[in-house]
Amino acid sequence: MARACLYRLLARFLANPPDQHALDAAAALAGDTGELGRSLNSFARAAQATTVTDARREYNALMIGLVRGELVPYASFYLTGFLHERPLAAVRRDFARLGITRVAGGRDPEDHIARLCEAMAGLIDGTYGDGTLAAQQEFFARHLAPWAPRFFGDLERARAARLYAPLGAVGRLLMDIEATAFAMAP
C-alpha cells in the first residue's frame, strides 16, 4: 500500500496545482533516513514553506507556461518528441483493457505522467485489473520505465522547481526502486 500511496502523491501534485489541503498533507509527511525518506522529508519541508499561490505559479511555469511549460509531462513527447503519438495509443489500449476510463472534463491525454501514476496506484491496490504483480510489472515496463525516470530527473533539476524539485527526487527514486524490484520478481 505504501507504493500505491507514493504513486497517488505523485499523481496528485502532477495533475494540478495543489490546494491548501494537499500542501498541508505533504507538509505532514515524514520519511526515514534512507534516500527516499530523505527526499520525502525535503518535499515536506518545501510544502511547509510554499503557499497555494506560489505552488500554482510554480506548477504553471513547469507544466503549462505561456506557450509551453519547462517540462512536457507526456509519454508521447518524451518518447517521440511529439504529442498524441503511438505511446498515447498504447496507453489508451491498455486503459480500455483494464477498464480505466477518461476523467470527465479532463483536459490532458491519458499519457500524462499523473494519469499513469494514478493507474499504477490502482493496479497496486486492485482498483484496476487483477491486482497481480505481473500486471503491475507489465504496465510499469510499457508505460513508465521507458521515460518516467528521465521526466522525474528533469523535474528534480528544473529551473522553476522549488516545491517540485524534491517531488522529482521522490519520483525518480520510486522509479529506480520499482525497476530494481521488478527485475528481481520471478
Side-chain angles (χ1 to χ4, degrees):
M1 286 299 107
R3 292 172 54 230
C5 288
L6 284 172
Y7 276 110
R8 285 211 169 87
L9 171 72
L10 293 169
R12 169 58 190 95
F13 278 81
L14 295 169
N16 295 295
D19 57 16
Q20 190 61 55
H21 178 72
L23 285 172
D24 291 344
L29 292 170
D32 59 19
T33 58
E35 192 175 4
L36 180 59
R38 290 191 310 269
S39 294
L40 283 167
N41 291 334
S42 293
F43 180 58
R45 285 190 302 275
Q48 289 169 353
T50 303
T51 67
V52 170
T53 300
D54 290 340
R56 185 179 315 110
R57 283 187 188 127
E58 183 176 334
Y59 181 89
N60 288 338
L62 289 168
M63 308 295 174
I64 298 171
L66 292 175
V67 175
R68 182 181 114 180
E70 189 173 342
L71 302 175
V72 181
Y74 303 99
S76 290
F77 184 82
Y78 265 81
L79 295 172
T80 70
F82 300 98
L83 296 175
H84 306 287
E85 291 292 327
R86 285 189 176 144
L88 174 59
V91 168
R92 285 180 173 164
R93 277 192 304 275
D94 283 351
F95 275 16
R97 182 178 52 79
L98 294 166
I100 302 172
T101 58
R102 186 169 170 92
V103 176
R107 66 187 192 286
D108 290 315
E110 293 87 339
D111 66 340
H112 188 286
I113 188 65
R115 302 293 164 259
L116 297 175
C117 287
E118 184 62 37
M120 192 68 189
L123 287 168
I124 293 166
D125 71 14
T127 302
Y128 307 126
D130 58 12
T132 65
L133 188 60
Q136 297 167 37
Q137 185 174 12
E138 179 185 353
F139 188 88
F140 180 83
R142 288 179 57 128
H143 302 299
L144 288 166
W147 74 282
R150 193 164 30 121
F151 168 80
F152 285 117
D154 290 347
L155 181 59
E156 191 176 6
R157 294 181 301 277
R159 285 173 288 133
R162 301 295 172 270
L163 171 65
Y164 282 86
L167 185 68
V170 169
R172 178 183 53 78
L173 291 166
L174 179 60
M175 296 300 107
D176 290 348
I177 292 166
E178 293 281 84
T180 301
F182 285 134
M184 295 185 324

